[in-house]
Amino acid sequence: MKEIELKLQGKIKRLTNKTFKFDERVSEGWFSAVYFLKTRKIVEKYRHENIVTMQFFQKTNAILCGTDEVIALIKTFAKDPETLEIRSLKDGDKIKPFETVLTVTGPYQNFGFLEGVIDGIFARRTSVATNVYKVVKAARKSGFQKPVIFMGDRDDHFTQQSGDGYAAFIGGSQAQATHAMNEWWGKKGMGTMPHALIQLFEGDVVAATQAYKETFPEDDLMALVDYNNDVVTDALKVARAFGEELKGVRVDTSRTMVDQYFCRNPEIMGAFDPRGVNPHLIFALRDALNKEGFTHVKIIATGGFTAERIKEYEEENVPVDIYGVGSSLLKINIGFTGDNVILNGEPQAKAGRRYNDNPRLELVE
């Protein structure tokens, strides 16, 4: 059983290194800035008896993520971690600018070298969770929560997928493209067909979809319909071929392409940008499917979607049923700072910093 299931059942409070599987070189300081390692050596020699409180914060409204991972990191790699006092918020908490999200109190030399690693965990996890939260929020602006598929596998190094997938889950996405993205919280990745499958069937979307259906009969049948840059025509072809068995069509037209629908109907052009997956194309696709009785077929839109773009689509009531989002969710735009703010029970911090207690912090057992 995954730790996340135990946590959701209330049997454990935090995920541990059983989930995160840290690189053991963290203990050697391999991932810590060298000046932290030098400071540790100096403190061990001259100030080993001092007790400090280090606090962490960031500067925007955000969805916090990374607390379980950070606590597990400290418990795994700090010296004598049982002697440290750790107070923390929880993954999924909404946080405000400069709000303290974590404090650690104890001998600096026992944990201080982890400061930069902690900042980095918080920065990435919170950025992804917040990005996903904004997209998911935009996708329910119409009054109904439309699913958002996390498709960030091609936009960053593959080793980041498990953590990014967990952060996306915290942000509100429960459909993800790879098994690795689901490793910390879910079961399996989901997805249907890439353009490569249709290419291997020489552009015949019906033949490719039939092969998919026969190979994966237990899956909901979803066809990719932009390969030939004629979304309406190919969507109707697969809808006529598979009828009620076809659950959805995915549109992923490149932002540099103009679909053949507009070439056949030039009179409607001139007042909007006809490139890529645009509202007029989706309206035309929905209308064509409905006219032939395929009202049950959902439309999945992918390719360059952001929270702002989804918000615009929802405000215009564009008939998208599911959004697939990738690169915009992986932008690291929230940075965290760790500061020593108390020394031996007394305020002591660099100019501009001070101890900022937060009554929401929970003592970590």
Side-chain angles (χ1 to χ4, degrees), residues 26-301:
V26 172
S27 64
E28 304 167 11
W30 188 250
F31 301 97
S32 296
V34 170
Y35 65 5
F36 289 134
L37 305 180
K38 291 179 176 179
T39 299
R40 177 173 62 178
K41 185 167 289 190
I42 294 169
V43 170
E44 286 173 342
K45 184 176 181 180
Y46 294 103
R47 290 288 188 270
H48 63 87
E49 73 284 358
N50 286 339
I51 301 297
V52 303
T53 293
M54 184 182 293
Q55 71 181 14
F56 293 83
F57 71 94
Q58 53 82 56
K59 301 176 182 178
T60 188
N61 291 304
I63 303 300
L64 179 63
C65 188
T67 63
D68 285 9
E69 191 173 357
V70 164
I71 291 166
L73 180 93
I74 296 169
K75 288 187 173 183
T76 303
F77 297 112
K79 181 180 179 182
D80 300 326
E82 68 281 355
T83 67
L84 301 176
E85 180 187 276
I86 305 171
R87 299 165 67 228
S88 176
L89 296 182
K90 301 184 298 296
D91 287 350
D93 281 347
K94 292 183 178 180
I95 55 174
K96 297 178 180 180
F98 299 98
E99 181 176 8
T100 300
V101 303
L102 176 82
T103 64
V104 185
T105 300
Y108 177 87
Q109 64 272 22
N110 288 7
F111 70 92
F113 74 102
L114 297 171
E115 177 185 331
V117 182
I118 292 170
D119 284 336
I121 290 173
F122 275 142
R124 187 177 188 98
R125 303 293 179 246
T126 300
S127 291
V128 173
T130 303
N131 294 340
V132 172
Y133 173 80
K134 290 178 179 178
V135 164
V136 170
K137 183 179 180 180
R140 64 169 175 264
K141 192 170 181 62
S142 62
F144 172 74
Q145 181 64 69
K146 297 179 179 179
V148 173
I149 304 172
F150 181 55
M151 303 174 67
D153 54 296
R154 67 188 59 195
D155 299 300
D156 206 343
H157 197 278
F158 72 94
T159 57
Q160 301 301 317
Q161 289 186 18
S162 295
D164 288 344
Y166 172 74
F169 166 70
I170 293 297
S173 173
Q174 298 193 19
Q176 305 188 5
T178 73
H179 298 321
M181 290 174 182
N182 293 265
E183 181 182 3
W184 292 1
W185 70 270
K187 296 180 180 178
K188 293 183 178 180
M190 59 85 65
T192 53
M193 63 180 70
H195 295 98
L197 179 63
I198 301 172
Q199 185 259 358
L200 291 164
F201 283 85
E202 300 175 319
D204 188 336
V205 64
V206 173
T209 305
Q210 178 63 35
Y212 184 97
K213 175 178 174 290
E214 292 176 2
T215 307
F216 300 100
E218 71 285 356
D219 283 9
D220 285 343
L221 192 61
M222 305 274 191
L224 181 59
V225 294
D226 65 276
Y227 181 87
N228 297 304
N229 198 39
D230 199 348
V231 162
V232 173
T233 298
D234 277 352
L236 289 175
K237 283 182 179 179
V238 291
R240 291 164 184 162
F242 299 101
E244 291 293 327
E245 292 181 301
L246 182 68
K247 303 304 180 185
V249 292
R250 180 163 75 93
V251 185
D252 189 45
T253 307
S254 167
R255 294 301 295 269
T256 62
M257 299 287 287
V258 176
D259 189 90
Q260 290 297 316
Y261 171 79
F262 298 114
C263 298
R264 292 193 296 271
N265 299 277
E267 69 279 1
I268 68 176
M269 296 175 64
F272 62 93
D273 185 346
R275 297 172 299 174
V277 182
N278 62 78
H280 288 78
L281 181 60
I282 300 299
F283 276 116
L285 174 58
R286 182 75 272 164
D287 185 57
L289 289 168
N290 289 352
K291 281 182 177 178
E292 294 202 18
F294 302 118
T295 57
H296 67 283
V297 175
K298 296 184 182 299
I299 296 176
I300 302 97

